């Protein structure tokens, strides 16, 4: 039956850790590792060309925040960027920064939040096996971090956008971005919006990085662009510098306070993705969210200096359904014709369960009345008069799909969803008058649906951004932030966490390295 409607796409998810030791989730590397590590130079093998206080490798949101914070502490900083200018993957993002606990923006928009409420949500939503100490530090410091962003000229408009899970189409500054208002999290913590978007129409990642790039420039830090980090330099287990390569050849720089690794994740390293998180290695329809420089170099350099990794199998897998609460009145079914999640959930959670638990075999069942809410032109590829007829077209069991639709519709009439607890405003019977039929949006991963992935695992760190070894001991002089470090998102994601924890721990690492540099400077005569 020809469809009178239009087509579909997909959006977000992460996975389980692969290699762990004990209860820490931290994996040692070195002689027993299967990763292509980048061994550090011993200090006796090289000669330094210069000495500075702090070196930051990478100028995405995490590295830029580290540079600005270190310069605010009064130390000299060299920033090394492989590209021609700051930005990285952060510049290509939607620009949401996950913050809460009572930020000035939340208060201005009329929402009350607390550190404990924010922590309760994150500890539940980001999955087991995370870093409680880092989550606690993030929640405690979140309001102050928002104020810091404003102080370095990142503006936010005090307006709430009621279309959750994606950045606002206008310049509204606050929205739900992680499923805080959907089951089961609305029963674990008070639902409060925490997606903070800089004041920019539509996506704000580029705008955010313009402001951070300007802050880096205003800080008078020295930036070495078009420069590749080659390897760290160690002295008795302490990281004391880095060798870089410029157009003029190699150069080795000593760092009194430390080296901050902020070089991104490893989604562009095919071999590393295939080894560490193969489910992120989805078919040709996948969007790899990152730049060619997201090749895992910072992670491999850190491992070569003795740092441990954690949760390398975790990744985000966005399933772009469009503004989900417009289409959440439909239902998602698998190859068995059964629902598997509440459709008003965060799209990253939907994407994870679609790809990991259902092999990317998913359809959204809808009708013409529900689909009129679709503003993105997502096409319905199949349509029929009854669920049984539609199931034949979809090659799923007709009786099962008919039962699923019947049970859902009967409960929706009562304003209930006893199986998955979708909220009442999104419970609408499917395929009954005034609808003229029933249809399906094809979200199968091997049939063109876009599963957008990026890595979340990386070097293990403490709340100051310091890299640690497999026993949890700090590696002196080494810091890792952004997606070079393991994300706060342990096995599930929430939009804004990458820019949130990247800028937050980048700032903390920059301050900590600067303070360390001050103690390492030679005393005046």
């Amino acid at each position: 039956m020809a469809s009178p409607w239009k087509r579909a796409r997909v959006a977000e998810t992460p996975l389980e850790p692969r290699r762990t030791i004990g209860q820490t989730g931290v994996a040692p590397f070195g002689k027993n590792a299967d990763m292509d590590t980048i061994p550090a130079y011993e200090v006796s093998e090289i000669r330094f060309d210069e000495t500075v206080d702090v070196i930051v490798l990478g100028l995405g949101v995490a590295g830029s925040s580290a540079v600005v914070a270190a310069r605010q502490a009064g130390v000299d900083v060299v920033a090394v960027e492989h590209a021609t200018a700051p930005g990285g993957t952060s510049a290509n993002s939607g620009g949401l920064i996950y913050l809460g606990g009572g930020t000035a923006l939340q208060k201005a928009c009329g929402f009350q939040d607390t550190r404990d409420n924010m922590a309760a949500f994150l500890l539940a939503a980001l999955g087991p096996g995370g870093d409680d100490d880092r989550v606690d530090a993030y929640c405690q410091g979140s309001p102050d971090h928002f104020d810091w962003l404003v102080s370095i000229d990142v503006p936010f408009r005090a307006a709430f956008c009621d279309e959750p899970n994606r950045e606002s189409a206008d310049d509204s500054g606050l929205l739900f971005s992680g499923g805080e208002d959907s089951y089961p999290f609305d029963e674990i913590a008070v639902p409060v919006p925490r997606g903070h978007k800089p004041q920019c129409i539509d996506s704000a990642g580029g705008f955010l990085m313009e402001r951070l790039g300007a802050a880096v420039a205003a800080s008078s830090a020295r930036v070495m662009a078009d420069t590749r980090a080659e390897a760290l330099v160690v002295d008795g287990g302490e990281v004391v510098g880095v060798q870089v390569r410029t157009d003029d050849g190699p150069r080795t720089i000593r760092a009194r306070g430390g080296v901050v690794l902020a070089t991104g994740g490893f989604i562009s390293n095919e071999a590393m993705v295939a080894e560490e998180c193969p489910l992120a290695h989805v078919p040709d329809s996948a969007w790899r969210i990152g730049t060619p420089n997201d090749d895992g170099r910072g992670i491999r350099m850190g491992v070569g200096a003795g740092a441990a990794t954690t949760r390398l199998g975790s990744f985000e897998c966005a399933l772009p359904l469009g503004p989900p609460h417009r289409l959440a009145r439909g239902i998602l079914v698998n190859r068995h014709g059964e629902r598997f999640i509440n459709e008003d959930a965060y799209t990253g959670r939907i994407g994870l369960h679609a790809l990991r638990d259902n092999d990317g075999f998913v359809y959204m069942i809808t009708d013409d009345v529900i689909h009129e809410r679709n503003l993105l032109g997502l096409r319905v590829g199949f349509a029929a008069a009854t669920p049984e007829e539609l199931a034949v077209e979809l090659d799923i069991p007709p009786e099962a799909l008919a039962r699923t639709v019947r049970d859902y519709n009967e409960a929706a009439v009562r304003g209930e969803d006893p199986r998955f607890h979708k909220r009442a405003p999104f419970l609408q019977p499917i395929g009954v008058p005034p609808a003229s039929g029933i249809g399906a949006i094809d979200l199968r991963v091997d049939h063109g649906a876009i599963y957008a992935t990026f890595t979340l695992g990386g070097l293990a760190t403490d709340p100051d951004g310091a890299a640690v070894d497999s026993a949890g001991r700090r590696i002196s002089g080494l810091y890792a932030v952004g997606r070079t470090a393991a994300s706060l998102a342990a096995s599930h994601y929430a939009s804004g966490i990458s820019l949130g924890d990247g800028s937050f721990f980048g700032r903390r690492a920059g301050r900590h390295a600067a303070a360390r540099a001050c103690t390492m400077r030679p005393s005046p005569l």
Side-chain angles (χ1 to χ4, degrees), residues 226-445:
D226 294 310
T227 300
R228 177 186 175 95
E230 295 276 279
L232 296 168
V233 181
V234 298
D235 184 2
E238 176 185 357
V239 172
V240 295
V242 63
Q243 184 176 88
V244 302
R245 182 168 295 276
T246 70
D247 289 342
D248 297 324
R251 187 170 182 82
T252 308
I253 309 170
R254 179 188 285 275
R256 295 187 186 94
V259 177
V260 181
L261 299 172
T263 58
F266 61 94
I267 194 64
S268 296
N269 185 323
E270 293 287 338
M272 201 168 164
V273 169
E275 172 64 26
E276 302 297 346
C277 54
L279 279 180
H281 208 277
V282 291
D284 293 340
S285 62
W287 287 345
R288 299 295 179 84
I289 299 179
T291 72
N293 294 331
D294 284 295
D295 60 0
R297 170 162 288 268
I299 297 172
R300 294 180 290 135
M301 287 171 61
V303 169
T309 61
T310 186
R311 302 191 294 276
L312 291 180
S314 294
F315 67 96
E316 165 71 330
C317 177
L319 211 172
L321 293 171
H325 284 201
R326 294 185 183 278
L327 295 177
R329 291 162 180 83
I331 59 174
L332 295 164
V333 300
N334 58 22
R335 67 174 71 249
H336 307 296
E338 299 172 341
R339 292 174 70 207
F340 57 90
I341 199 168
N342 49 313
E343 292 80 11
D344 60 343
Y346 168 56
T347 52
R349 185 163 292 269
I350 292 172
L352 170 63
H353 290 281
L355 185 62
R356 185 191 67 183
D357 301 335
N358 294 283
D359 302 320
F361 190 104
V362 177
Y363 289 102
M364 172 169 273
I365 307 302
T366 184
D367 62 32
D368 52 338
V369 174
I370 292 172
H371 206 68
E372 284 178 359
R373 298 174 180 272
N374 170 28
L375 299 181
L376 296 185
L378 306 179
R379 184 171 65 85
V380 171
F382 307 88
T386 68
E388 291 88 348
E389 292 175 7
L390 181 64
V392 171
E393 289 198 54
L394 304 183
D395 194 26
I396 61 179
E399 290 184 2
L401 182 60
R403 182 174 58 252
T404 295
V405 173
R406 181 186 67 245
D407 292 349
Y408 176 80
N409 284 352
E410 289 176 355
V413 169
R414 301 190 303 269
E416 300 175 356
D417 181 18
R419 180 99 188 264
F420 292 104
H421 308 281
K422 183 159 69 175
R423 286 170 295 155
F426 306 107
L427 294 171
Q428 180 172 329
I430 298 171
V432 298
S436 60
I438 188 169
I441 297 171
D442 193 345
L443 300 180
R444 291 175 295 173
V445 68

Side-chain angles (χ1 to χ4, degrees), residues 420-482:
F420 292 104
H421 308 281
K422 183 159 69 175
R423 286 170 295 155
F426 306 107
L427 294 171
Q428 180 172 329
I430 298 171
V432 298
S436 60
I438 188 169
I441 297 171
D442 193 345
L443 300 180
R444 291 175 295 173
V445 68
D446 56 354
H447 282 69
I450 303 297
Y451 284 67
T453 60
F454 60 91
T455 59
L456 296 171
L459 297 177
T461 59
D462 70 11
D464 288 317
V468 300
D469 64 17
S470 59
R473 298 172 301 222
R474 281 184 175 178
I475 297 177
S476 295
L478 183 62
Y479 303 83
V481 294

Side-chain angles (χ1 to χ4, degrees), residues 91-160:
N92 299 323
S93 71
L96 293 184
I97 307 168
Y98 198 92
L99 298 168
T103 67
L105 182 61
Q106 288 178 311
K107 293 176 181 177
C109 291
F111 293 95
Q112 293 185 344
D113 196 12
T114 67
R115 280 72 158 172
D116 289 345
N117 190 54
M118 180 184 180
F121 170 76
L122 288 180
L123 291 172
L126 299 183
D131 304 314
D132 289 9
D133 290 345
R134 293 175 69 226
V135 170
D136 182 65
Y138 185 61
C139 295
Q140 290 295 324
S142 193
D144 173 73
H145 187 60
F146 173 80
D147 293 341
W148 180 78
L149 288 168
V150 172
S151 77
I152 61 170
D153 206 23
V154 179
F156 298 83
R157 185 166 77 89
F160 172 64

Side-chain angles (χ1 to χ4, degrees), residues 207-222:
F207 174 73
L208 171 64
M209 289 313 303
E210 285 178 10
R211 292 302 174 99
L212 279 173
V216 169
S219 77
S220 299
R222 178 154 59 96

